Every structure is written in C-alpha cells, then in structure tokens.
Amino acid sequence: MTIALLIIAAVASYLICSINPAIVFSKLIYHKDIRTEGSGNPGFTNFKRVYGMKFAWLVFLIDISKAILLELLFGFLFVKFLTPQQAQEFTETTDVVTKTSFWAAQFATERNLRLFGIAFSGAFCMLGHTIPVWYGFKGGKGFLVCISTLYMIDWKCGLFATIMLCIFLFSTHYMSLATIIAMVAGTVLLPFMKVPLIPDLIFAGCVAFMIYRHHENIKRLATGTEKKFYFFKKKTEHKEQDSAQSTNEPTAAIDNPTDSSAQNQE
C-alpha cells in the first residue's frame, strides 16, 4: 500500500502540474506561445511582461492552486493510509537512540506523515511545472509551486518568505533576486519550526532546483542586464512613449515632403 500510494502521488502530482496555464492562455487567448515571447519562460512574470495584468493574475492563481490542492490531498491520504503505529511502538521500546529509531521517528506522528505527503507531492509538482511532459519538457522555473509548498509545510515560514519577497522586490524590482532570497530564507527557517528532517530535506532540494532554473537570471544579475519587474507601468514609461511619438512626427514629414507640399497647394 505504501509503494502504491507513493507512485500515485508522484504520477498524479507530476502530470497535473505539467499543465501550464501561461502556455494554455497564451495559445487560447493570444494565439501565441509564451515560450517564444519575452524571456521565453512560461511563468507569471514573463506572462505579465508580455501580455499585461489582465490574465496574468489568473496564471498566478492557477499555478498556486493546483499545487496546493494536490499537496492537501496527498497530505490527507498519507495520514489515512500510512499509519504511524509501528514507528511509534518501535521508538517507545527503544532504550538506545540509534539510526533506525531516528528515521522511524520521522514518521511517528500524523503531523509528520502529513508533512511528508505534502513535501513528497510538492517535489513532483515542482518537476511537473518545470519539466512538463505535455510541452516537450520545457516549463517554468517553479517559484510559485515552491512558495505554495512552503505555506503548506509551515504557514509561518511561508509568510516570512513572502515578506522577504516583498522587501527585495519593491526595493530592487528584480523578481529573480527577490524569489531566490525569499525561498532561501523560508528554507532556513523551517528547522526552527520543528519541521521533521525528511520534509525539510525534500523542500530544500526543491529550492535548490528552483535556484538552478534561475541560472540565466543569475548571470544577468551579475552582468547588470537583468530586466526589472513592475506590477504597473511607471509614469516615465508613458513619457518615453509620448516623446517617441512626437519625435516620429517630424521625421514622417521629412520622409514624405510631397504630402506637405500638396497640402499647401490645396
């Protein structure tokens, strides 16, 4: 039963999270592939940059919701079908702390089993989102799946990561930098919240993979060429567009002198 549940959790989490709303909406609504637009990343940040906020929030909500629902489901199923009774009996009758008793203790309570189910499902949600089978194994970078998994493991760590994200995003406007710092900060805090070692290690692996997926962003941050992220357009951008339009008007008149002379004759 244990092996069957692990296989079901892995396959279901991977296949469902392989469905990428950024790719789906870009094709259905705009008849384009987000992977060929902007930075090429099929995630919330690039979708917002390319197509604006109108449907970007929907991408954001679906990316988070699909991971949360799967993690809640398998957290519940792991508690229901994987009983901690044997592990509890073993640790209670063990006088000397050994490696075996240590690992048995990792599954000795319902909380530990639930957190293991959440982290296990979250890891395969991460794989589905980043290397999806439905789209030629070219997916997003996994931040939204990571932070939703962090909230499911411990909401206080998730909140701390969100605060760190906001601080660095609104101070630097580098989404990649803010996401990396936020997820590292949340991961470091997990052991202090008495999260069992196995879910902690699984989640740390997810964060490490997410950081690896940002390797191009890290290179651009190092060279100063990383694009900044704004939720709304700055006023300076509107001014630049207006000035560009005004400078284009006289050049158009120079390119077509016959039009102006014809107007004078009339």
Side-chain angles (χ1 to χ4, degrees), residues 44 48 53 57 169-170 173 175 229-233:
F44 165 76
K48 185 267 173 187
M53 289 297 296
W57 284 115
L169 179 59
F170 290 111
H173 293 285
M175 177 65 84
F229 178 86
Y230 297 91
F231 282 103
F232 304 100
K233 281 188 175 182

Side-chain angles (χ1 to χ4, degrees), residues 160-161 164-165 168 176-186 210-211:
F160 179 68
M164 296 297 290
L165 173 72
F168 282 92
S176 56
L177 178 65
T179 55
I180 291 172
I181 292 175
M183 297 316 303
V184 171
M210 185 209 76
I211 294 173

Side-chain angles (χ1 to χ4, degrees), residues 22-41:
I23 298 175
V24 172
F25 290 149
S26 66
K27 290 184 175 182
L28 288 179
I29 299 172
Y30 301 102
H31 307 291
K32 296 179 181 179
D33 190 337
I34 187 63
R35 293 171 296 178
T36 63
E37 303 286 332
S39 66
N41 181 58

Side-chain angles (χ1 to χ4, degrees), residues 70-86:
L70 286 164
E71 290 160 6
L72 287 175
L73 172 64
F74 288 109
F76 169 77
L77 292 178
F78 273 49
V79 172
K80 186 173 180 63
F81 294 104
L82 302 181
T83 172
Q85 182 177 358
Q86 293 180 348

Side-chain angles (χ1 to χ4, degrees), residues 112-131:
N112 289 10
L113 284 173
R114 179 177 59 82
L115 292 179
F116 173 62
I118 290 171
F120 185 82
S121 174
F124 283 92
C125 287
M126 180 78 174
L127 290 175
H129 182 79
T130 53
I131 45 177

Side-chain angles (χ1 to χ4, degrees), residues 6 8 24 35 65 68 81 183 202 211 218 230 238 249:
L6 290 173
I8 293 171
V24 172
R35 293 171 296 178
S65 299
I68 288 176
F81 294 104
M183 297 316 303
I202 293 174
I211 294 173
I218 295 172
Y230 297 91
H238 293 291
E249 290 177 357

